[in-house]
């Protein structure tokens, strides 16, 4: 029996305001609150909320037979809580049906897996905690930012206790193989992989409303027939896409919501079911190992990381950012840590992309900047101010190793002082207790010495 695995992504970065060179050192607030509020509110009204309502209707109609998965970045969740809290409520209602699974990812939707394993670990844990706090689920399957994956990343993910990961079914990796199977990592064979079926996913995400597409209009029965006609041994079809596909990328007028509602009915007629990532990982066996020596992603034709790290501008910003990672982790300034998280979002590097015109058109569609160079200049101005703030706490003239040693010594001393203070406090308490007990005890009466009996007079012996 074939199964469809639906996964939807929700992510929105904290967009930066126009930040000029003269602002460095004078203005420590970097974000365009108006744009962030306007964009996520608009998308929520047009897409996220009606899409949640559509899924709720589908769950009510089809029960446990229809199910989906979500991956929502931590910084997107923060914006939703801030600007569209009703979306959190809508997602909680979906969770209560038992038909929704949450995946974990990097909290900041960052590229940390390519630069800093320690940062990657911390962000994944923070994201997992956030999902548990809001929705009561502890994710079992990991979805890295932009589906970025490699052998090294798979080892890192497996070492963190995850048994499954989802990524791109890239042609240059699969070759003649099909993405419609469960695979495993060549570097960590016990880590199972679910691969995106790009063709079928993009038919919905990008081609659904394209009148020039030969298959237009796309109907639910036609789409399910394509899946049913796949070879019988191909057991899982992974449809991975942005949640804003429903209502934003494909507007309501295109019939996208009606298309979604009709899919399960036609699927069940063809004996095609629905499955969550964790169920697929648990129930299906891996057919083969995949070796991925260099990172791949779901972006652009190349399916590599060049959308974020493909030119000198991007690499300069990326390397500069992660050069201070260790120092930021050492600090305890909450505002500094928050800015660190927001500045890591992959979107900032995506806006700097200078790739060829076809891809560039896609990149510019999402960018709030006039050009990649404007995006780079603005980001580097912000980063310069951020580094000044970090240096105020931990000067860059001190090497990381030396700084670590100093901080370790200070923390050890603080621990020793804390232990000594506890002992002093305990001794004081004991002394006070002894003094109080001494006051409370009544004075014992002193005994008078017993009077000596007079010896009887001796009789005279005559």
């Amino acid at each position: 029996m074939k199964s469809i695995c639906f996964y939807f992504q929700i992510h929105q970065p904290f967009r930066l305001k126009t930040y000029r060179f003269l602002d460095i050192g004078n203005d420590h607030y970097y974000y365009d609150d108006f744009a962030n509020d306007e964009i996520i509110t608009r998308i929520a009204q047009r897409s996220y909320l009606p899409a949640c309502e559509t899924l709720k209707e589908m769950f009510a109609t089809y029960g446990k037979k229809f199910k989906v998965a979500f991956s929502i970045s931590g910084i997107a969740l923060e914006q939703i809580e801030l600007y569209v809290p009703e979306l959190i409520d809508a997602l909680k209602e979906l969770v209560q049906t038992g038909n929704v699974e949450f995946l974990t990812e990097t909290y900041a939707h960052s590229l940390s897996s390519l630069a800093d394993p320690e940062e990657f670990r911390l962000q994944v844990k923070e994201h997992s905690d956030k999902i548990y706090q809001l929705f009561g689920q502890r994710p079992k399957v990991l979805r890295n930012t932009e589906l970025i994956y490699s052998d090294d990343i798979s080892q890192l993910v497996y070492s963190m206790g995850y048994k499954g990961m989802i990524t791109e079914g890239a042609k240059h990796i699969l070759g003649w193989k099909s993405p419609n199977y469960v695979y495993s990592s060549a570097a960590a064979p016990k880590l199972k992989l679910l691969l995106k079926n790009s063709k079928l996913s993009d038919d919905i995400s990008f081609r659904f409303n394209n009148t020039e597409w030969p298959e237009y209009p796309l109907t639910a029965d036609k789409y399910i027939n394509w899946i049913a006609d796949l070879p019988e041994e191909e057991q899982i079809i992974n449809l991975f896409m942005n949640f804003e596909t429903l209502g934003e990328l494909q507007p309501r007028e295109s019939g996208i919501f009606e298309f979604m509602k009709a899919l399960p009915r036609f699927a069940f007629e063809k004996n095609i079911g629905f499955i969550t990532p964790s169920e697929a990982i648990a129930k299906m066996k891996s057919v083969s190992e995949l070796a991925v020596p260099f990172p791949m992603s779901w972006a652009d034709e190349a399916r590599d990381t060049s959308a974020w790290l493909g030119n000198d501008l991007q690499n300069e910003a990326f390397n500069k950012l992660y050069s201070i990672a260790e120092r930021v982790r050492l600090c305890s300034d909450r505002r500094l840590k928050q800015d660190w998280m927001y500045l890591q979002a992959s979107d900032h590097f995506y806006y700097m992309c200078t790739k060829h015109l076809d891809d560039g058109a896609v990149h510019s569609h999402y960018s709030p900047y006039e050009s990649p160079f404007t995006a780079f200049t603005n980001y580097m101005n912000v980063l310069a101010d951020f580094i000044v703030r970090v240096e105020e706490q931990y000067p860059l003239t001190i090497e990381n190793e030396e700084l670590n040693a100093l901080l370790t010594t200070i923390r050890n001393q603080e621990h020793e002082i804390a232990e000594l203070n506890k002992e002093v406090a305990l001794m004081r308490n004991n002394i006070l207790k002894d003094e109080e007990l001494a006051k409370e005890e009544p004075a014992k009466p002193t005994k008078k010495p017993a009077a000596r009996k007079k010896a009887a007079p001796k009789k005279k012996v005559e």
Side-chain angles (χ1 to χ4, degrees):
M1 177 180 175
K2 288 187 175 66
S3 295
I4 294 172
C5 181
F6 260 120
Y7 140 75
F8 295 109
Q9 172 192 311
I10 297 178
H11 168 64
Q12 293 295 333
F14 278 92
R15 293 163 184 82
L16 304 177
K17 67 183 180 182
T18 300
Y19 194 90
R20 297 177 175 82
F21 179 78
L22 294 177
D23 294 325
I24 299 172
N26 298 311
D27 182 1
H28 303 320
Y29 191 77
Y30 311 134
Y31 312 105
D32 189 338
D33 292 336
F34 177 81
N36 291 324
D37 185 353
E38 188 276 327
I39 290 171
I40 198 166
T41 301
R42 170 174 52 80
I43 295 176
Q45 296 301 326
R46 294 181 58 176
S47 171
Y48 299 153
L49 289 169
C52 283
E53 192 60 33
T54 297
L55 291 178
K56 186 177 176 182
E57 291 177 22
M58 295 170 73
F59 294 155
T61 302
Y62 301 109
K64 299 294 182 184
K65 294 193 295 181
F66 179 72
K67 52 194 74 174
V68 301
F70 282 99
S71 182
I72 311 176
S73 70
I75 58 178
L77 286 168
E78 286 189 25
Q79 289 187 71
I80 293 169
E81 289 178 297
L82 188 61
Y83 300 121
V84 203
E86 61 268 31
L87 178 55
I88 296 291
D89 296 333
L91 289 167
K92 285 181 177 179
E93 288 184 17
L94 295 183
V95 172
Q96 290 171 1
T97 65
N99 296 27
V100 169
E101 175 180 321
F102 282 95
L103 309 180
T104 195
E105 61 165 278
T106 56
Y107 190 94
H109 199 76
S110 73
L111 304 175
S112 56
S113 62
L114 302 174
D116 192 329
E118 180 62 23
E119 182 67 23
F120 177 78
R121 288 176 182 273
L122 291 172
Q123 286 195 31
V124 168
K125 182 182 183 305
E126 187 169 351
H127 183 265
S128 178
D129 291 343
K130 183 73 171 179
I131 294 297
Y132 184 76
Q133 172 203 337
L134 287 175
F135 305 111
Q137 283 191 20
R138 186 65 71 178
K140 301 175 182 177
V141 178
L142 188 139
R143 176 246 185 231
N144 194 17
T145 305
E146 310 296 352
L147 297 188
I148 291 173
Y149 174 85
S150 70
D151 290 340
D152 290 341
I153 294 172
S154 72
Q155 289 179 305
L156 178 58
V157 170
Y158 183 71
S159 72
M160 296 165 64
Y162 290 93
K163 298 296 188 291
M165 188 172 177
I166 72 173
T167 185
E168 173 66 29
K171 291 179 182 178
H172 70 278
I173 296 297
L174 285 174
W176 56 269
K177 297 176 182 177
S178 167
N180 304 325
Y181 295 96
V182 174
Y183 291 88
S184 60
S185 163
K190 292 185 178 180
L191 182 75
K192 291 183 178 178
L193 305 174
L194 300 180
L195 308 183
K196 174 190 171 188
N197 186 310
S198 298
K199 192 270 178 191
L200 290 172
S201 298
D202 293 351
D203 284 343
I204 299 176
S205 295
F206 302 114
R207 293 183 279 272
F208 182 82
N209 197 36
N210 183 1
T211 55
E212 296 180 2
W213 182 36
E215 298 296 341
Y216 180 86
L218 181 60
T219 58
D221 57 339
K222 182 196 292 187
Y223 189 80
I224 291 298
N225 282 334
W226 291 345
I227 294 175
D229 290 341
L230 292 170
E232 188 61 33
E233 60 273 16
E234 297 188 7
Q235 292 297 300
I236 184 166
I237 294 82
N238 299 306
L239 303 178
F240 302 161
M241 62 194 73
N242 290 316
F243 199 37
E244 61 235 49
T245 295
L246 310 180
E248 178 70 12
L249 298 179
Q250 304 300 332
R252 176 186 290 275
E253 298 75 26
S254 68
I256 189 67
F257 292 114
E258 288 71 22
F259 171 83
M260 280 296 296
K261 289 178 184 178
L263 274 180
R265 178 167 65 88
F266 289 105
F268 298 145
E269 288 178 1
K270 296 289 184 178
N271 197 32
I272 298 171
F274 294 84
I275 195 169
T276 64
S278 64
E279 289 175 339
I281 295 297
K283 294 178 181 179
M284 298 183 177
K285 293 183 178 179
S286 166
V287 298
S288 177
E289 294 181 359
L290 287 182
V292 186
F294 303 104
M296 66 176 179
S297 75
W298 70 350
D300 301 342
E301 188 64 29
R303 298 294 195 265
D304 58 12
T305 59
S306 59
W308 307 274
L309 300 175
N311 63 42
D312 291 340
L313 303 178
Q314 293 167 314
N315 283 288
E316 170 68 18
F318 182 77
N319 293 332
K320 194 75 171 176
L321 175 69
Y322 282 99
S323 69
I324 57 171
E326 195 165 353
R327 293 168 189 272
V328 177
R329 286 197 291 271
L330 291 170
C331 81
S332 56
D333 187 324
R334 291 182 62 186
R335 176 71 181 279
L336 206 64
K337 284 183 174 291
Q338 184 184 59
D339 290 336
W340 164 247
M341 200 68 77
Y342 296 171
L343 291 176
Q344 287 186 74
S346 65
D347 309 72
H348 302 306
F349 306 97
Y350 192 78
Y351 301 149
M352 303 174 199
C353 185
T354 55
K355 294 178 76 172
H356 56 81
L357 292 177
D358 289 341
D359 285 346
V362 175
H363 291 261
S364 62
H365 171 75
Y366 293 99
S367 177
Y369 300 98
E370 295 178 359
S371 72
F373 306 100
T374 307
F376 172 76
T377 302
N378 201 68
Y379 183 82
M380 293 304 286
N381 286 342
V382 169
L383 187 57
D385 182 81
F386 181 74
I387 291 174
V388 168
R389 292 164 59 203
V390 174
E391 190 171 3
E392 286 175 354
Q393 296 203 22
Y394 304 117
L396 298 180
T397 53
I398 305 176
E399 294 294 331
N400 283 340
E401 292 77 8
E402 185 182 354
L403 182 61
N404 266 321
L406 287 171
L407 289 172
T408 300
T409 302
I410 291 170
R411 284 169 183 160
N412 288 340
Q413 289 176 344
E414 288 176 348
H415 179 71
E416 290 177 12
I417 291 169
E419 291 298 319
L420 288 171
N421 285 335
K422 285 181 183 178
E423 290 182 17
V424 170
L426 185 62
M427 292 174 66
R428 283 177 179 168
N429 286 336
N430 289 337
I431 292 170
L432 289 173
K433 285 180 181 178
D434 289 343
E435 290 177 350
E436 289 175 1
L437 286 172
K439 290 177 182 178
E440 291 175 2
E441 286 183 1
K444 293 181 180 180
T446 54
K447 293 182 180 179
K448 293 181 179 180
R452 288 185 180 182
K453 294 180 179 178
K454 291 182 179 181
K458 293 182 179 179
K459 293 182 180 179
K460 280 187 178 183
V461 178
E462 294 181 358

